[in-house]
Amino acid sequence: MARYTGPVCRLCRTEQKKLFLKGERCNSDKCPINKKRAAPGKDPKARAGKRSEYGTQLREKQKIKRMYGVQEKQFHLTFEKAQRMGGVTGTNLLVLLETRLDNVVYRMCFASSRAQARQVVLHRHVMVNGRIVNIPSYVVKPGDVIEVKERSKKLAIIQDGLKEISKSGNSPWVTVDVDAVKGTFVQYPRREEMTDLADVKEQLVVELYSK
């Protein structure tokens, strides 16, 4: 499957929002959003007019896709699964994205960004319930125990991620044992608990796919 391999800060500039794609850099003065840099492309001011309804919906979908590092086909399949679930489709979509193994590894601060978490999973550093899982889209369920392999616990990428817990803590739907580099996915997150997604308008994605 083709993946975007260009400069990720360009994606944040496109959305004019921090997508937290580069870990610690996103919280530093080097972040282009902190510097208020313009959107990429030639003469962005000429394209800064009022967006159509479709354009607004599309940008919201792109923002969520890029935030979670998911490609279009996978994102659409996740949306269709969210539709089949009971409850609010938009909330279901976010909950399903949050249960991806790479995202859970990121939420447990075993990596500084979702892209790093994906790499940690792909390189077979992560175990789920005692078994190695190297599929980033693996669906984690409540009660699952996620841990880093013993010989991988001292890796710099993982230790750097764990430093974030002391700064910002971990998400309320997971518990983490920093010393053991192990955590438990306690429950599915509620929409109000996803405080870092407060400005995400998932209903726009529902409206886009309903056309």
Side-chain angles (χ1 to χ4, degrees), residues 7-8 15 22 37 49-50 61 87 95 102 106 121 128 169 174 198:
V8 293
E15 306 302 337
K22 294 201 75 172
R37 290 182 59 186
K50 185 177 180 180
K61 183 197 74 170
V95 170
D102 55 356
Y106 166 68
V121 173
V128 179
V174 299

Side-chain angles (χ1 to χ4, degrees), residues 64-65 68 70-85 89-100 137 139 205 209:
I64 298 173
K65 273 174 52 184
Y68 285 95
V70 180
Q71 295 297 299
E72 177 60 36
K73 183 176 180 180
Q74 202 169 27
F75 187 81
H76 199 178
L77 289 173
T78 304
F79 177 81
E80 289 177 342
K81 184 176 179 180
Q83 277 187 313
R84 295 192 295 270
M85 297 167 60
T89 299
T91 301
N92 292 341
L93 174 64
L94 294 181
V95 170
L96 288 174
L97 291 170
E98 284 290 329
T99 60
R100 287 172 54 94
S137 60
V139 178
V205 180
Y209 279 132

Side-chain angles (χ1 to χ4, degrees), residues 70-174:
V70 180
Q71 295 297 299
E72 177 60 36
K73 183 176 180 180
Q74 202 169 27
F75 187 81
H76 199 178
L77 289 173
T78 304
F79 177 81
E80 289 177 342
K81 184 176 179 180
Q83 277 187 313
R84 295 192 295 270
M85 297 167 60
V88 182
T89 299
T91 301
N92 292 341
L93 174 64
L94 294 181
V95 170
L96 288 174
L97 291 170
E98 284 290 329
T99 60
R100 287 172 54 94
L101 179 57
D102 55 356
N103 180 77
V104 175
V105 168
Y106 166 68
R107 290 297 191 187
M108 290 182 172
C109 295
F110 298 162
S112 299
S113 67
R114 290 183 177 89
Q116 283 187 352
R118 178 182 177 86
Q119 184 182 40
V120 167
V121 173
L122 286 171
H123 289 184
R124 301 174 64 85
H125 297 303
V126 174
M127 296 191 297
V128 179
N129 299 328
R131 298 180 61 184
I132 293 175
V133 178
N134 65 338
I135 303 171
S137 60
Y138 177 89
V139 178
V140 178
K141 300 178 179 63
D144 283 351
V145 176
I146 292 83
E147 60 184 311
V148 175
K149 288 194 310 185
E150 187 62 38
R151 62 182 181 180
S152 302
K153 291 179 179 179
K154 298 300 182 182
L155 289 175
I157 190 174
I158 293 170
Q159 290 300 314
D160 289 345
L162 287 171
K163 293 176 183 177
E164 292 298 313
I165 290 184
S166 61
K167 298 178 183 178
S168 57
N170 54 268
S171 302
W173 55 92
V174 299

